[in-house]
Amino acid sequence: MIERSAIIDIVFWAVAALAIAASVMVVTVRDVFKASLFLAGSFVAAAGLYVLLRAEFLAAVQVLIYVGAISILIVFTVMLVRQVSGGNRSGGPFFAIAGGVAAVLVALAISYAAVNSKWSDLDRAAAGDERVAAALTGEYQAQQSPGNPDVDLVKVPIDDPEKARHGVFERTTNQLGTMFIRDYVLAFEIISIVLLAALIGALAIARGARDGGTS
Amino acid sequence: MTDGFLDNAFFRNIYCNLASSGSDRCAGGGPFGDGLLPPGWEWLAFLVTAFVTVFVVVNGALMAVNLYIWGERRLLGRLQGRLGPNRWGPFGLLTPIADLIKVLSKEDIVPAAADRLVYSLAPVLLVVPVLLAFAVIPFGSSTWAANLNVGVLYLIAVLSVESFAPITAAWGSQNRYAMFGGLRAVALLVSYELPLVLSLIGVLMIAGSLSLVDIVNAQDVPFALVQPLGFLVFLIGSVAEIQRAPFDLSEAESELVGGYHTDYSGIRWGLFQAGEFMSTMVSGAIIATVFLSGWRGFDFLPSHAWFFIKFAGVLFVMTWIRATLPRLRIDQITSFAWKGLLPLAAVNLLASAVLSLIWPRPSVGELWAMAAVNVVVAAAAIYVLGQFGPKPGERPRPAVAPALGATGREGAA
């Protein structure tokens, strides 16, 4: 007898193996074009992991931005620089050591985050523990604090058990949107300024070459 | 797991006939009463249901594309003053079958210089995303393979993977014609994806959901009327994204032989052909669903018939465009995307945002009011934009990189 969670486990190990295999290929394959294809493959596998975590919005955005836009631009650049097709040059021991140190640091950071996350809470919420789910999600409600004439939106735990159980995973899009324009609005706006600066920078570089600048 | 897929009567019938009774997911039981499988085997019922669904959707799409290829060729024939395929079967209906046998039995040639792995991967990268896209399209009032709560985003994401196909084919072939075709294709795809996505956001703001089913349910007034500017941008953007005439310069046969699939033959070429026509069908289905109120209509026809009528109408318009307009140059295409469609999509986004602030949950009357405002906004925006564009007959100086251009700047560099 096999539970449905066992199917999910099988899918998880398959997707995880795919992600690791693709990532290993990215750094071992000599042909840069193929490496960028494998990079796109590992992005897709990461999106699969997001689906298993029931973050569908994040998964769709991952595919749209990382696969559909960033990987495409990488491949496009590789195609325009044809010299790399025969294989990239080896950077020598310095690059190997620097890359190894960076890889270890990233692995440590991810392990730290994985160990310190309260996975058990999420598991209990997913298994239908309404109290945990309500505490994890919450809902924005209008409240008026004394002395302050303005109505403020405050996050309060959900009381309705049915709503709470579905609330954790059902409406991630709305939750992300609310978070972006309330709790993390400063980061959100700073990122848009960074993107605008990048856009203007790209324009300036392109125009400079045409007007007889550095070409 | 969410059991949302059991909302669909088709899946519920399969699942509840297989899974044993007593499962609370099958309240009321299947048509044949008790489940066929013993308790504890619900996972098998789930797998069978999923497999049947995928089988039906994929094969349905592949059958439908044959019919569509026949229809488009007949229609193109009529539009160009000739007969079109009419020999094999009644009205030539068996022509696609004959074509399929021909394509399957042709020799599969791989060029000597080609990168075998990348070369074989390209047709797959075109066909698989399109087949995935069919999963979320609601064909009738309760006929869909999946009602994702991020449906529209899923569609955009999956279809954006398709842009890998031309560039992979180009690189795999190691052929100059294919290379130029692939570079042109990606430049076009990257440019048009932006206005395409932006033009959808207005719809999402009015519907208040990313699910395609919710979007259809929200269309008491078809969004083509509520969002005329968005509809126009999305229609043009879709025709560009699927690289049909007048945006088919990536396979311009007069310049590039066949573009990125010059070297392909046999069933690999057949997959490219099927993939291109299937992405046209997906675009038609998306437009019918998102802007033309999908399966909704008047009661005298079933919902599937309404969907099919709208779907066929969009495909007719796309074929009509293909038969009418001449091919554009690459600089015309990209500047049209960045200087034409993108500002229009931005104006539409701004107008929709303001309107949905005024009417957060629009009633039918408010939807008509939005439609009236948006028609005025659309007309004004298109008129103003028309004042900035190139005049008829004017040919702007092409912006060419010094190394590639013939503008006489090589000496200076």
Side-chain angles (χ1 to χ4, degrees):
Chain A
M1 172 173 163
I2 305 179
E3 292 288 329
R4 268 167 99 182
S5 61
I7 300 179
I8 303 287
D9 279 354
I10 295 169
V11 175
F12 167 76
W13 287 111
V15 173
L18 195 70
I20 292 172
S23 312
V24 170
M25 291 302 276
V26 171
V27 287
T28 51
V29 155
R30 301 290 297 174
D31 185 347
V32 181
F33 186 85
K34 275 188 196 160
S36 41
L37 281 187
F38 279 117
L39 186 64
S42 87
F43 287 147
V44 171
L49 291 177
Y50 290 145
V51 171
L52 287 175
L53 290 169
R54 300 171 75 176
E56 291 100 351
F57 181 82
L58 201 57
V61 168
Q62 163 92 5
V63 173
L64 177 63
I65 292 176
Y66 281 92
V67 182
I70 291 180
S71 299
I72 286 283
L73 284 180
I74 293 175
V75 171
F76 196 61
T77 319
V78 169
M79 274 184 87
L80 288 173
V81 190
R82 285 184 59 96
Q83 285 88 337
V84 296
S85 64
N88 53 347
R89 288 171 298 148
S90 178
F94 171 74
F95 287 100
I97 294 167
V101 169
V104 168
L105 284 178
V106 170
L108 281 177
I110 292 175
S111 312
Y112 179 80
V115 168
N116 282 286
S117 292
K118 288 184 182 170
W119 297 105
S120 57
D121 278 359
L122 285 175
D123 286 342
R124 279 162 65 195
D129 190 330
E130 287 92 3
R131 257 176 350 100
V132 178
L136 277 178
T137 42
E139 199 174 41
Y140 284 97
Q141 282 180 3
Q143 280 190 356
Q144 200 161 17
S145 48
N148 183 3
D150 295 332
V151 177
D152 198 14
L153 285 179
V154 183
K155 195 174 175 186
V156 292
I158 301 173
D159 295 326
D160 181 8
E162 189 62 25
K163 205 168 160 189
R165 188 166 55 185
H166 291 297
V168 186
F169 298 115
E170 288 290 309
R171 293 163 70 240
T172 50
T173 313
N174 303 26
Q175 289 178 28
L176 278 175
T178 318
M179 295 271 236
F180 267 139
I181 56 166
R182 292 201 61 81
D183 301 8
Y184 299 102
V185 66
L186 186 65
F188 186 64
E189 293 299 331
I190 287 175
I191 284 176
S192 45
I193 290 174
V194 169
L195 286 177
L196 185 66
L199 200 66
I200 294 172
L203 265 177
I205 292 171
R207 280 200 77 83
R210 205 178 69 182
D211 296 342
T214 56
S215 66
Chain B
M1 286 294 290
T2 51
D3 294 319
F5 81 101
L6 288 177
D7 295 342
N8 188 318
F10 180 69
F11 305 147
R12 201 167 53 235
N13 280 345
I14 302 174
Y15 182 85
C16 294
N17 279 328
L18 288 173
S20 58
S21 58
S23 167
D24 59 337
R25 300 188 194 103
C26 299
F32 301 114
D34 286 351
L36 299 172
L37 294 166
W41 288 78
E42 281 86 3
W43 62 274
L44 188 60
F46 177 69
L47 278 190
V48 169
T49 313
F51 180 79
V52 169
T53 312
V54 173
F55 187 85
V56 167
V57 169
V58 167
N59 286 287
L62 289 170
M63 301 284 270
V65 79
N66 280 319
L67 200 63
Y68 168 55
I69 290 177
W70 169 81
E72 169 142 342
R73 287 180 64 191
R74 288 286 290 188
L75 188 60
L76 269 183
R78 285 287 158 193
L79 290 167
Q80 294 168 350
R82 56 190 172 84
L83 287 173
N86 64 349
R87 288 305 166 112
W88 182 229
F91 307 107
L93 257 174
L94 294 179
T95 316
I97 312 275
D99 274 343
L100 197 64
I101 294 170
K102 182 186 75 177
V103 160
L104 278 171
S105 56
K106 272 191 172 181
E107 188 189 355
D108 176 28
I109 302 169
V110 180
D115 189 327
R116 261 204 99 90
L117 176 77
V118 179
Y119 182 82
S120 343
L121 190 66
V124 180
L125 282 179
L126 183 65
V127 171
V128 169
V130 189
L131 287 176
L132 285 174
F134 274 106
V136 292
I137 290 168
F139 299 101
S141 61
S142 68
T143 314
W144 52 78
N147 174 20
L148 295 186
N149 56 8
V150 290
V152 172
L153 201 64
Y154 168 86
L155 271 179
I156 297 169
V158 159
L159 290 177
S160 75
V161 177
E162 235 189 305
S163 0
F164 265 105
I167 205 160
T168 315
W171 181 268
S173 305
Q174 295 290 352
N175 164 333
R176 293 296 155 92
Y177 289 125
M179 191 69 82
F180 274 109
L183 287 175
R184 284 181 180 188
V186 174
L188 185 151
L189 289 171
V190 169
S191 305
Y192 278 87
E193 206 160 281
L194 224 56
L196 200 72
V197 176
L198 273 184
S199 64
L200 273 178
I201 297 179
V203 168
L204 302 181
M205 280 193 290
I206 297 174
S209 170
L210 285 163
S211 152
L212 284 162
V213 176
D214 290 353
I215 288 177
V216 173
N217 281 328
Q219 292 185 66
D220 295 322
V221 178
F223 283 161
L225 296 174
V226 182
Q227 296 267 315
L229 204 52
F231 175 60
L232 202 66
V233 172
F234 192 82
L235 181 65
I236 298 172
S238 305
V239 176
E241 279 284 303
I242 52 187
Q243 300 179 45
R244 289 160 66 90
F247 300 98
D248 62 343
L249 81 174
S250 62
E251 49 189 279
E253 68 275 2
S254 54
E255 309 158 28
L256 296 179
V257 191
Y260 52 84
H261 53 59
T262 301
D263 277 337
Y264 283 84
S265 62
I267 189 58
R268 292 189 216 269
W269 179 85
L271 280 176
F272 268 115
Q273 192 78 351
E276 278 170 21
F277 278 102
M278 275 196 293
S279 44
T280 311
M281 286 171 65
V282 167
S283 293
I286 296 173
I287 293 173
T289 305
V290 172
F291 286 104
L292 301 176
S293 70
W295 72 77
R296 293 178 66 169
F298 302 103
D299 280 340
F300 60 87
L301 282 178
S303 62
H304 301 81
W306 281 112
F307 177 81
F308 184 78
I309 290 171
K310 291 164 185 174
F311 174 58
V314 176
L315 290 184
F316 174 75
V317 170
M318 284 183 164
T319 311
W320 193 4
I321 292 173
R322 176 179 171 178
T324 308
L325 295 175
R327 184 178 299 136
L328 297 169
R329 284 196 318 267
I330 182 77
D331 62 310
Q332 290 171 328
I333 282 185
T334 42
S335 64
F336 181 60
W338 292 103
K339 297 176 188 167
L341 290 184
L342 194 61
L344 286 183
V347 167
N348 180 56
L349 181 58
L350 192 66
S352 314
V354 172
L355 286 177
S356 44
L357 266 185
I358 301 175
W359 295 300
R361 290 185 196 287
S363 63
V364 180
E366 286 166 351
L367 278 175
W368 282 113
M370 274 189 190
V373 176
N374 271 329
V375 166
V376 175
V377 169
I382 292 173
Y383 176 77
V384 170
L385 197 72
Q387 302 302 306
F388 291 108
K391 299 289 168 286
E394 185 187 357
R395 188 183 167 122
R397 188 171 139 262
V400 186
L404 295 171
T407 50
R409 283 193 45 82
E410 293 95 316

